[in-house]
Amino acid sequence: MSDETPLRIANRVRVRDLSLLADVGINPDEIGRRQPLVISVVLDLVAGRIETIDQTVDYRRIARAAEQLAEVHTPLIETFGQNLAAACLAMPGVVRAHVTIEKPFALMRGQASVEVTMEQS
């Protein structure tokens, strides 16, 4: 590789399989009852070299955002995903947020999930 060739750097931060109990649901038996969700988040950051924690997103910050959302009743996991993606997109340096939410007990057989992607325009 030549010294004249610029490096292209893409930075991605992931949190996978974060299990938490959330106040979600539209059915009468779900309201007021916390249910398990499994959340995965992929954040694309502004391109460039990262050398300090201030230049990236701390994984714990993503987990805290999800945990805070889980405390408030949200009827749909789609809405939960949109709210989490928006919270992540508001973090410095984030240009794209992709959130996957699995709701393990939504179906008798199988697993229900949603995916939400938001990006800076």
Side-chain angles (χ1 to χ4, degrees), residues 18-19 27 31 33 35 37 40 44 52 55 57 64 66 71 77 85-86 97-98 103 111 115 119:
L18 176 66
S19 296
N27 297 317
I31 296 173
R33 182 174 62 90
Q35 298 181 67
L37 297 180
S40 295
D44 290 336
T52 67
Q55 297 170 319
V57 175
R64 274 194 308 269
E71 296 295 324
I77 59 174
H98 183 84
K103 191 174 177 186
Q111 187 157 271
E115 292 188 18
E119 54 187 71

Side-chain angles (χ1 to χ4, degrees), residues 26-119:
I26 58 171
N27 297 317
D29 64 318
E30 295 178 308
I31 296 173
R33 182 174 62 90
R34 297 169 65 75
Q35 298 181 67
L37 297 180
V38 180
I39 297 170
S40 295
V41 177
V42 179
L43 303 181
D44 290 336
L45 308 180
V46 173
R49 212 165 157 75
I50 294 177
E51 296 181 0
T52 67
I53 192 68
D54 296 339
Q55 297 170 319
T56 189
V57 175
D58 188 328
Y59 312 110
R60 293 169 292 193
R61 190 167 178 204
I62 300 165
R64 274 194 308 269
E67 290 163 353
Q68 288 172 345
L69 287 171
E71 296 295 324
V72 179
H73 178 74
T74 305
L76 302 171
I77 59 174
E78 290 86 348
T79 307
F80 190 102
Q82 291 170 355
N83 292 343
L84 182 54
C88 290
L89 210 52
M91 296 175 186
V94 178
V95 295
R96 182 175 180 268
H98 183 84
V99 175
T100 303
I101 300 178
E102 298 176 19
K103 191 174 177 186
F105 301 114
L107 298 173
M108 191 72 106
R109 296 183 313 234
Q111 187 157 271
S113 67
V114 299
E115 292 188 18
V116 174
T117 301
M118 286 186 180
E119 54 187 71

